[in-house]
Amino acid sequence: MIAIDRRSFLAAGAALAAAPAFAQGSEDAKLRAQLDAIFEQTVDDSPEFATGLGLDKGARAALKARLDDNSLAAKQRRLERARGWLAGLKGVNRDALSASGKVDYDVVAYHLDRQVYGGDRYKFGSAGRNYAPYVLSQQNGVYSDIPDFLDSQHRVTTAEDAEAYLSRLSAFAVAMDQDLERLRHDVALGVVPPDFTCGLTLAQLRALRNQPAEKTILVTSIAKKTADAKIPGDWAGRANRIVFSEVFPALDRQIAAVTQLRARAKPDVGAWALPDGAAYYADAVKNSTTTNYTPDQVHQMGLDQVAEISARIDAILKSQGMTRGTVAERLTALNNDPRQLYANTDDGRAKMLVDLNRQMDEMYALLPKAFRTLPKAKVEVRRVPVFIQDGASNGYYQGAALDGSRPGAFYINLKDTHDWPRYNLPSLVYHEATPGHHLQIALAQESDRIPILRRTGYGSSAFSEGWGLYAEQLADEMGVYDKDLLGRAGYLQSLLFRAARLVVDTGIHAKRWGRAKATQYLVDVVGYTPARAQREVERYFVSPGQATSYKVGHTVWVKLREDARRKLGPKFDLRAFHDAALLSGNMPLVVLERHIADWTARQA
C-alpha cells in the first residue's frame, strides 16, 4: 500500500528547469504551462503538501506555519477550481500533442473529470480517486493524520521552524473542528458508519486524549527536534500548553460527536447503506481500478483467481510434505510454526527490520536483469509509528522529500510480529520497496520528462498497487524463490490475499456481507490469523473499492506485458517494456492500455 497523499520528489526548481523545451506556441507548450500552473496552485492551497514536497521555504515559507483548510467551504472551492482546470484543458488540441503530451493530457483530464463527477454527485465524504465516505474513522481524520505529519514531515532546524510547528499545533484544533463540521453535515445527509468503526475511532481518539499532554507525540516530537537541533527555548512547555488548552478540548468535542453517532449506528453496514449507495460503490470501484469493471465482474474475477492461485499453493505445500487440511489450514499451520516467527518483542522487531533491509539490498543486485533504468533514491524499511499502529494498515510506502532531505520508506506495522511469518516477508518487501512501489515512484520522481504535477500527484492506485503485485511476480521470475519453495508459497499467498480482497470488498459493499462473514472468508481462504484478517476487513468498510485496485491492477499489468510479448515475438525486450511503462509515470489503467498499445506498435 502507498501513502498516496505523500508523493514527494526532487527539487521543484531543478525539475521544472530540466523539463523538455517545447516550441513556442505549440500545443505541448500550452499544455505544459497549464499543468505547471495547476501544480503551483495546488501547492499554494495545501501547506501540508508543500511541506511533504520540501517546498515550504523561500517565497512559500509562510506555509510551514499552516495546515490545510478542510472546511466545507474549502471542499466546494476545490471542486469549482477542478471544474475550471478541466475547462482549461479542453482548450488544448489533443490531436496536435506529441505522444508524451497525449499521455499527460489524458491522465490529468481523466482525474479531473472523475473529481468533478464525484464532487457533483456525492456531497458527503470524499469522492476523489479512492472514495472515503466517512470524515472520521479509524483510518480517516486529521486527529490521526496531523500528529503523524508533524512528527514525520515537519522539519525543525531553526527557531523559526519550531515556531511554525507551534503554529501548526494550534491550527490542529481548528482542523479537527473543520472535520467535525463536515461530519455533522454528512450525518444530516444520512451518512452513518458501522458501529464498530465508531468504536475503533473512539479508541484512537481516546488514546491521544487520555494521557498527560506532555506525554503526547505532539509535545515529545517538538522537544526532541529542538533538542537535536540545539535550539534554546521552552518549546516543550509551550507545546504542552497548546495541547492542554486547545487540542484536548477539540478532541473532547470529537469524542462527544462520535459517541453520539455510535448510538445511531448500525452493525456492519457497507456502502450499500449510503445515500445512492449502489451507484456510489460502483463509482468507487471504477475510480479505484480506473477501469469499467462492475462490482459483479470484480467479484467473479476474485472467485476465479482464488481457485487458480489456491491450486498452485496446494501443489507447493504437498511437495513440502504438507498434505492434510485445506490450503488455508496448512498455511495457518505454517504461520504458527515457531521457526517462521520473530519474537513479539522489541528485539524481535529490531531483528526483523534488519533482515528486511538486508533482503532489499540483495534485490538491488538483481535489478539490472529486468531494468535498464534504476532510481537514484534509496529506500528504508521502518516501523509504523506505535501511536497510529492500531488503525494503520499492515504496511505502506512513503515517498522521499522533494528536496532530498528524507529518503523513501516502507513502513511495516509491527504491533504483532506473529502477523508476519518469515516465509511471506520477502514478497512484502518486493511489493512495497523494490522492485515495487519505491522503484516505480522514484523513477517517476527523478524523470525530466514528466510534468511535476504528475510526479507529485494525479496517480492511480490501480497502476501503483497493480505494479506492486507485478513486482512480486517479477521477483519470482528473476529466480529469488528457486531454492525457497516456501518463499514462493508466501508470494502466492500474497496474490491469493489480493484475489480474496476482490471477493470480500464487493461482498461487503455490494452483497451486504457482515464483518464476521468477511473476516472468516479471509481466514478460510488465505490462512491469516483472525486478528489480522479482521483489521483488513475493518479497513475495507471505510475505504470502499480501494482494495480492489491491487489485483485488478496486477491482472491488467500482466495482460499488457503478455500482449506485447505475443505481438512483438523475438523483438520483445522486457527491460524496454519496463522503461516504456514506468518512465511515463503513473496513469489510469485505461490510459496505460492505450500507451502500451502505441509503444508496441512502434516496436513492431
Side-chain angles (χ1 to χ4, degrees), residues 541-569:
F541 270 91
V542 299
S543 302
Q546 192 273 340
T548 66
S549 64
Y550 293 69
K551 200 61 177 70
V552 171
H554 172 247
T555 301
V556 172
W557 270 109
V558 174
K559 181 180 184 300
L560 290 177
R561 186 187 71 175
E562 296 313 306
D563 284 350
R565 191 193 302 274
R566 184 178 63 257
K567 291 175 182 177
L568 294 177

Side-chain angles (χ1 to χ4, degrees), residues 7 9 15-16 444-447 450-457:
R7 291 299 79 80
F9 304 93
L16 289 171
Q445 68 190 35
E446 295 172 9
S447 169
I450 306 170
I452 193 166
L453 176 70
R454 290 189 53 224
R455 281 180 279 147
T456 56

Side-chain angles (χ1 to χ4, degrees), residues 193-255:
D195 57 1
F196 72 82
T197 294
C198 295
L200 292 169
T201 306
L202 284 170
Q204 292 194 177
L205 286 165
R206 288 168 177 154
L208 181 58
R209 175 63 179 87
N210 293 345
Q211 57 181 310
E214 65 270 17
K215 298 294 185 182
T216 65
I217 189 68
L218 300 165
V219 176
T220 60
S221 181
I222 185 65
K224 182 178 187 306
K225 290 179 181 189
T226 51
D228 290 346
K230 297 181 171 56
I231 302 171
D234 183 24
W235 304 104
R238 293 174 64 189
N240 182 72
R241 288 189 287 275
I242 293 172
V243 171
F244 185 79
S245 64
E246 299 178 44
V247 173
F248 277 0
L251 283 168
D252 288 338
R253 290 189 287 273
Q254 288 206 345
I255 288 169

Side-chain angles (χ1 to χ4, degrees), residues 301-359:
M301 179 189 296
L303 292 173
D304 293 343
Q305 294 192 10
V306 162
E308 186 269 331
I309 298 167
S310 295
R312 294 173 65 188
I313 297 175
D314 180 50
I316 292 175
L317 296 179
K318 285 178 177 177
S319 76
Q320 300 299 296
M322 302 179 68
T323 60
R324 299 181 62 182
T326 67
V327 166
E329 288 169 344
R330 281 173 280 166
L331 288 173
T332 298
L334 195 57
N335 293 345
N336 295 327
D337 186 336
R339 292 169 297 182
Q340 293 291 335
L341 302 177
Y342 285 88
N344 201 26
T345 63
D346 286 343
D347 286 345
R349 295 180 180 95
K351 179 170 175 26
M352 181 189 294
L353 292 175
V354 169
D355 290 348
L356 294 180
N357 279 292
R358 182 187 305 116
Q359 174 197 317

Side-chain angles (χ1 to χ4, degrees), residues 416-597:
D416 186 348
T417 61
H418 292 182
D419 285 341
W420 302 111
R422 294 173 187 266
Y423 76 99
N424 62 27
L425 279 171
S427 201
L428 177 72
V429 173
Y430 302 142
H431 179 112
E432 297 286 352
T434 191
H437 291 324
H438 176 69
L439 184 144
Q440 173 246 313
I441 291 169
L443 282 178
Q445 68 190 35
E446 295 172 9
S447 169
D448 61 0
R449 297 162 41 184
I450 306 170
I452 193 166
L453 176 70
R454 290 189 53 224
R455 281 180 279 147
T456 56
Y458 287 78
S460 157
S461 173
F463 181 101
S464 55
E465 298 298 357
W467 173 266
L469 285 180
Y470 171 78
E472 295 183 48
Q473 176 177 328
L474 188 64
D476 183 31
E477 293 169 348
M478 293 165 70
V480 297
Y481 301 123
D482 287 353
K483 296 181 180 179
D484 179 16
L485 291 182
L486 286 182
R488 179 170 287 134
Y491 145 63
L492 291 174
Q493 184 186 36
S494 172
L495 293 189
L496 178 63
F497 168 44
R498 273 40 176 256
R501 274 177 157 180
L502 301 181
V503 180
V504 170
D505 196 271
T506 52
I508 292 168
H509 297 293
K511 301 183 182 300
R512 305 194 179 196
W513 288 16
R515 180 172 55 156
K517 181 175 181 178
T519 298
Q520 193 61 47
Y521 182 85
L522 286 184
V523 171
D524 291 344
V525 169
V526 186
Y528 280 176
T529 64
R532 180 178 179 184
Q534 181 167 299
R535 273 205 309 276
E536 286 290 331
V537 164
E538 289 167 347
R539 181 158 69 92
Y540 308 157
F541 270 91
V542 299
S543 302
Q546 192 273 340
T548 66
S549 64
Y550 293 69
K551 200 61 177 70
V552 171
H554 172 247
T555 301
V556 172
W557 270 109
V558 174
K559 181 180 184 300
L560 290 177
R561 186 187 71 175
E562 296 313 306
D563 284 350
R565 191 193 302 274
R566 184 178 63 257
K567 291 175 182 177
L568 294 177
K571 291 184 178 180
F572 178 80
D573 183 327
L574 180 63
R575 300 195 305 165
F577 171 80
H578 288 155
D579 269 2
L582 296 182
L583 298 185
S584 293
N586 189 314
M587 63 189 78
L589 296 183
V590 291
V591 178
L592 179 66
E593 288 171 342
R594 291 196 297 269
H595 174 59
I596 294 300

Side-chain angles (χ1 to χ4, degrees), residues 37-84:
I38 293 173
F39 170 76
E40 296 293 338
Q41 292 171 43
T42 301
V43 174
D44 288 339
D45 185 59
S46 176
E48 295 165 39
F49 187 52
T51 291
L53 298 174
L55 293 178
D56 55 354
K57 58 187 68 172
R60 290 190 170 105
L63 295 180
K64 193 162 191 173
R66 294 163 44 199
L67 295 176
D68 291 359
D69 182 353
N70 291 315
S71 64
L72 281 170
K75 179 181 177 182
Q76 185 62 34
R77 184 175 67 248
R78 291 182 184 121
L79 174 61
E80 296 308 317
R81 186 182 61 184
R83 198 188 313 278

